[in-house]
Amino acid sequence: MDYKYIPLRNWLLERDALSIRKLEVNCGIPKDTLRHFLSERRDFPEKHYRSLLKELVKYGFDQE
């Protein structure tokens, strides 16, 4: 797993009230991409990183 995605993964895992599927829909990410990323089955695709960050900022995510 790419090091830059570890804070993102940890942040999502700490917030179990967030709907992973709804995040995928809102960001245009294919179904189960985030679920596989969170369970460490696959790396997160770089092409979806920006759209996910843009959505997560609404929920308080700070990439710094």
Side-chain angles (χ1 to χ4, degrees):
M1 180 183 311
D2 192 343
Y3 177 75
K4 79 176 186 179
Y5 298 131
I6 292 173
L8 170 67
R9 183 178 176 279
N10 291 341
W11 190 89
L12 285 169
L13 289 173
E14 291 170 357
R15 285 149 181 87
D16 57 351
L18 285 177
S19 168
I20 299 304
R21 181 66 190 131
K22 188 63 175 170
L23 285 173
E24 291 172 336
V25 169
N26 288 353
C27 299
I29 297 173
K31 183 180 181 201
D32 295 331
T33 300
L34 274 176
R35 185 174 60 86
H36 289 300
F37 165 65
L38 293 174
S39 65
E40 295 186 50
R41 291 183 67 200
R42 296 185 196 144
D43 283 338
F44 189 74
E46 179 68 33
K47 65 183 177 181
H48 298 299
Y49 186 65
R50 287 271 187 232
S51 63
L52 182 60
L53 285 182
K54 186 176 177 182
E55 184 70 18
L56 291 180
V57 165
K58 297 176 187 176
Y59 298 98
F61 181 73
D62 183 15
Q63 59 187 346
E64 302 299 323

